[in-house]
Amino acid sequence: MSYTLVRVVEAGVVLREGHRARFASESPDVLHAFDRFCLVAAPGIYALRAIDGAIETTPRERSAITEGMPIGFVPSPFFGVGDFAKPAPPGPYDEVRVDGICTFLTDDEGREVIEACRGIALAFRDGAFVRAASRFARVISVVEEFLVRDGLRAATLEAQVPECWGVANAVAGVVVVGPSGKLSASARHAANVWNARILASASRPQ
């Protein structure tokens, strides 16, 4: 059962082609249903799930990721299983998600950050964001594929090392999280630049 969470603006679905790829293994009817949704959907946030040859659409009120939200670190519930498609809730991610907290997921020893509970893990270093290196299992990310094509590089992110942390997903874009520090203003500026690029990807089927 394929699943994705999308943001729709007036120009269309943000990162539309990446979201469509999540339904590539489904029937042509599902892909047609996705395209119809993209053509007519009003601005907002939606969870899309493939069920019985159709797309089930559930509106969401807002993103769960907000700027400056507190952060935490816990071992990933998916450690060691390989990269995988975004799972629909409910599931193991719900066990590590806490409202109002951005939880970074680590290897079993709690040393290396793999991803965040609601997106990819980022750190702001030397004037630019870097993403967590993908040596370990995690969700195949629509926004990460976009950011990588646009030049975002990977680095090892250690949970014990103080960082200016960020998280990115297809709905919220790039968001600076954690306590404010001397790099926060520069990180927010860099996030705004990335978010303008992400927003410019919005489109509807022709």
Side-chain angles (χ1 to χ4, degrees), residues 7 15-16 26 37 39-40 82 102 131 136 166 169:
R7 178 187 177 193
L15 303 172
R16 179 172 64 89
E26 302 288 343
F37 166 84
L39 189 63
V40 302
C102 179
R131 61 191 173 94
F136 302 109
N169 63 36

Side-chain angles (χ1 to χ4, degrees), residues 146-160:
F146 176 88
L147 296 175
V148 170
R149 288 197 302 269
D150 221 13
L152 185 72
R153 64 183 181 87
T156 299
L157 306 185
E158 297 180 8
Q160 297 89 349

Side-chain angles (χ1 to χ4, degrees), residues 15-183:
L15 303 172
R16 179 172 64 89
E17 290 301 326
H19 288 295
R20 193 179 195 276
R22 283 188 163 164
F23 297 102
S25 63
E26 302 288 343
S27 69
D29 287 344
V30 169
L31 291 174
H32 291 325
F34 176 81
D35 290 339
R36 286 195 300 271
F37 166 84
C38 294
L39 189 63
V40 302
I45 299 170
Y46 302 88
L48 306 181
R49 189 188 315 242
I51 299 179
D52 297 329
I55 293 283
E56 178 185 83
T57 304
T58 305
R60 294 287 183 87
E61 184 177 349
R62 60 184 178 275
S63 171
I65 299 294
T66 58
E67 186 176 294
M69 68 191 307
I71 63 175
F73 299 87
V74 300
S76 170
F78 286 103
F79 183 76
V81 303
D83 290 350
F84 51 93
K86 184 178 181 68
Y93 279 121
D94 297 305
E95 300 171 8
V96 296
R97 287 172 175 158
V98 179
D99 288 344
I101 296 176
C102 179
T103 303
F104 289 93
L105 307 179
T106 71
D107 61 17
D108 278 354
E109 296 180 341
R111 294 180 179 177
E112 184 172 337
V113 172
I114 301 170
E115 62 180 338
C117 67
R118 300 181 190 274
I120 67 169
L122 305 172
F124 189 72
R125 296 178 178 175
D126 301 321
F129 280 106
V130 294
R131 61 191 173 94
S134 57
R135 294 194 301 118
F136 302 109
R138 65 182 184 197
V139 168
I140 299 169
S141 167
V142 169
V143 75
E144 183 172 21
E145 291 176 351
F146 176 88
L147 296 175
V148 170
R149 288 197 302 269
D150 221 13
L152 185 72
R153 64 183 181 87
T156 299
L157 306 185
E158 297 180 8
Q160 297 89 349
V161 175
E163 298 271 16
C164 180
W165 292 98
V167 64
N169 63 36
V171 168
V174 177
V175 182
V176 180
V177 296
S180 183
K182 62 181 181 180
L183 297 178

